Amino acid sequence: DTAVSQTPKYLVTQMGNDKSIKCEQNLGHDTMYWYKQDSKKFLKIMFSYNNKELIINETVPNRFSPKSPDKAHLNLHINSLELGDSAVYFCASSHIAGSAYEQYFGPGTRLTVT
Amino acid sequence: AQTVTQSQPEMSVQEAETVTLSCTYDTSENNYYLFWYKQPPSRQMILVIRQEAYKQQNATENRFSVNFQKAAKSFSLKISDSQLGDTAMYFCAFMIPRGADGLTFGKGTHLIIQP
């Protein structure tokens, strides 16, 4: 069983398009996250979300928006894609109510904008 | 704001040797968590080990152990009896257990295990 899954694993699209990446976790966790890994492998938090709050990293353009239909899903929508959006995007989840805090990551989605 | 520094961009050791990866962090918080994540070429992020700041005892997981020095804000990872499968990027990460805060990562160390 895949604990945190993302679809698609690879996404190639043109500038200006709108795209979505889906994330699902079956761990029963209460908090989900999106991270961006750039070409130098640097990982940076984009969003954190649980049923109480959405935390947005202030450096994330408002073209990026998380959508959570339920506790097990946190999808990432990106409007008007730009070349600089090319990166690997990771979804993660954790159970902060249980004070565990370790985050489990999905396999990543490599987004290429041409 | 918290920062995490990994000063070794790349390291290379022979198989079966012991290797230590360095990590320092900066925070004014007293309660926090520290993690080491491994990212092999498959790009999957794998949790290696975690340490709670309030625990004085260093965490260990099989061949992996940490040297946590809270006063020095240092959190190094020791890999004993290194194996070819340990070849990967290793990321040190910091987290404050407050609401839905995410992880703050260092820039990573590329560890290469030579046969």
Side-chain angles (χ1 to χ4, degrees):
Chain A
D1 277 350
T2 302
V4 183
S5 61
Q6 293 178 230
T7 53
K9 288 194 172 60
Y10 298 92
L11 182 56
V12 181
T13 188
Q14 292 184 328
M15 284 175 54
N17 285 347
D18 302 338
K19 289 294 179 185
S20 296
I21 304 171
K22 294 185 176 181
C23 177
E24 177 181 3
Q25 55 96 3
N26 63 8
L27 297 167
H29 287 169
D30 54 19
T31 304
M32 297 182 73
Y33 312 81
W34 278 104
Y35 291 87
K36 179 181 180 180
Q37 186 173 42
D38 63 24
S39 59
K40 295 184 178 179
K41 303 281 190 182
F42 184 56
L43 280 148
K44 194 167 186 181
I45 182 77
M46 298 177 70
F47 303 101
S48 305
Y49 183 78
N50 64 19
N51 59 358
K52 295 179 181 177
E53 64 181 330
L54 169 65
I55 299 177
I56 303 171
N57 185 306
E58 61 186 13
T59 66
V60 176
N62 57 16
R63 299 181 294 102
F64 290 79
S65 59
K67 297 277 193 297
S68 180
D70 55 56
K71 286 174 67 173
H73 297 84
L74 183 66
N75 303 324
L76 181 64
H77 296 274
I78 316 169
N79 294 326
S80 302
L81 277 155
E82 300 177 359
L83 291 177
D85 298 332
S86 294
V88 178
Y89 293 85
F90 285 97
C91 177
S93 71
S94 67
H95 189 56
I96 65 173
S99 301
Y101 294 109
E102 55 256 34
Q103 295 184 17
Y104 293 88
F105 284 75
T109 296
R110 180 177 293 281
L111 172 65
T112 303
V113 182
T114 62
Chain B
Q2 283 66 233
T3 59
V4 178
T5 301
Q6 293 180 248
S7 58
Q8 304 149 314
E10 186 169 288
M11 297 184 71
S12 180
V13 299
Q14 296 294 124
E15 194 176 4
E17 288 184 348
T18 293
V19 59
T20 299
L21 309 183
S22 302
C23 172
T24 58
Y25 57 93
D26 188 27
T27 183
S28 57
E29 301 285 336
N30 191 49
N31 184 28
Y32 50 87
Y33 287 69
L34 294 161
F35 304 90
W36 279 98
Y37 280 87
K38 169 185 177 181
Q39 187 179 39
S42 67
R43 86 167 179 238
Q44 178 70 53
M45 293 289 290
I46 302 165
L47 177 64
V48 175
I49 200 164
R50 75 174 221 169
Q51 176 80 45
E52 294 91 332
Y54 63 85
K55 289 187 177 179
Q56 290 186 337
Q57 186 172 7
N58 289 323
T60 62
E61 287 288 342
N62 301 313
R63 298 183 294 109
F64 299 87
S65 61
V66 298
N67 183 2
F68 174 48
Q69 302 288 329
K70 190 173 183 178
K73 296 179 181 176
S74 171
F75 182 60
S76 61
L77 174 70
K78 185 172 83 171
I79 306 174
S80 304
D81 186 26
S82 57
Q83 301 174 358
L84 296 178
D86 295 333
T87 293
M89 285 290 292
Y90 286 82
F91 294 96
C92 179
F94 173 100
M95 181 181 187
I96 297 171
R98 175 181 59 213
D101 282 9
L103 293 164
T104 298
F105 283 93
K107 291 188 176 181
T109 296
H110 185 206
L111 176 64
I112 300 168
I113 308 299
Q114 305 276 8

